Amino acid sequence: MTSERDEAARAARQPADPASDESLSEALGAVARQLREKSAETLAAWGITPAHLRALRMLNRHGTMRLSTISDRLQIAPRTATEVVDALQARDLVRRLADPGDRRATLVEVTEHGADVLAEIRATRGPEAGRIFARLSPADRAELARILGKLRD
């Protein structure tokens, strides 16, 4: 007769189901960490963080916007948005402008130097991400993109 403790010990030794929610979450987290660590290493050459890059890319993609809009779109606190813009402005990557429609508001836009730095970062980061995803076949990449898109929405 097997005791409950023996059954529990045997179950604990069984390999985890690789498709379980917990295993998938751990695997996704591990890949995300790899990408973040590599990104932070790369961005250090420009003296910016991944959070700064997100803001710079968003401004480059969507154009000039208010600090409040940056905060909303990045889903960060207004104070944090101010700190991010301060850091980017200190590196001449963005500039602040008076809002002609509301003198109390400030607009932020990417500088020419900021656009150049973004292009350099894009050229450097593409091959890095490519090395991680190169382990996948084109069909697997397409399937991963489909699945991640579904999870993101």
Side-chain angles (χ1 to χ4, degrees), residues 10 25 31-32 34 36 53 60 66 90 97 104 125 134:
R10 189 174 303 114
S25 178
V31 172
Q34 285 179 21
R36 274 192 312 273
L53 179 63
N60 194 59
R66 289 181 175 186
L97 308 165
R104 295 169 298 156
R125 290 183 77 207

Side-chain angles (χ1 to χ4, degrees), residues 40-134:
E41 288 173 21
T42 301
L43 295 176
W46 288 277
I48 63 174
T49 68
H52 297 155
L53 179 63
R54 282 182 59 221
L56 190 59
R57 285 185 3 210
M58 184 194 58
L59 282 163
N60 194 59
R61 186 175 325 130
H62 298 290
T64 304
M65 61 182 64
R66 289 181 175 186
L67 273 166
S68 60
T69 305
I70 294 170
S71 172
D72 291 344
R73 288 200 177 183
L74 294 177
Q75 298 178 346
I76 57 177
R79 173 82 177 124
T80 303
T82 298
E83 291 170 355
V84 167
V85 169
D86 287 347
L88 293 171
Q89 186 174 17
R91 289 166 183 78
D92 188 36
L93 302 173
V94 301
R95 75 176 132 257
R96 284 181 166 94
L97 308 165
D99 184 340
D102 181 352
R103 64 182 194 179
R104 295 169 298 156
T106 301
L107 298 174
V108 181
E109 70 179 6
V110 175
T111 62
E112 187 176 326
H113 176 63
D116 292 344
V117 166
L118 267 176
E120 291 171 23
I121 291 170
R122 199 174 296 119
T124 301
R125 290 183 77 207
E128 287 176 357
R131 281 192 285 279
I132 290 174
F133 294 112

Side-chain angles (χ1 to χ4, degrees), residues 8-53:
R10 189 174 303 114
R13 288 190 301 268
Q14 296 294 322
D17 174 7
S20 73
D21 290 346
E22 186 177 344
S23 294
L24 289 172
S25 178
E26 288 175 11
L28 185 59
V31 172
R33 267 189 307 283
Q34 285 179 21
L35 289 168
R36 274 192 312 273
E37 288 169 3
K38 196 62 174 160
S39 178
E41 288 173 21
T42 301
L43 295 176
W46 288 277
I48 63 174
T49 68
H52 297 155
L53 179 63

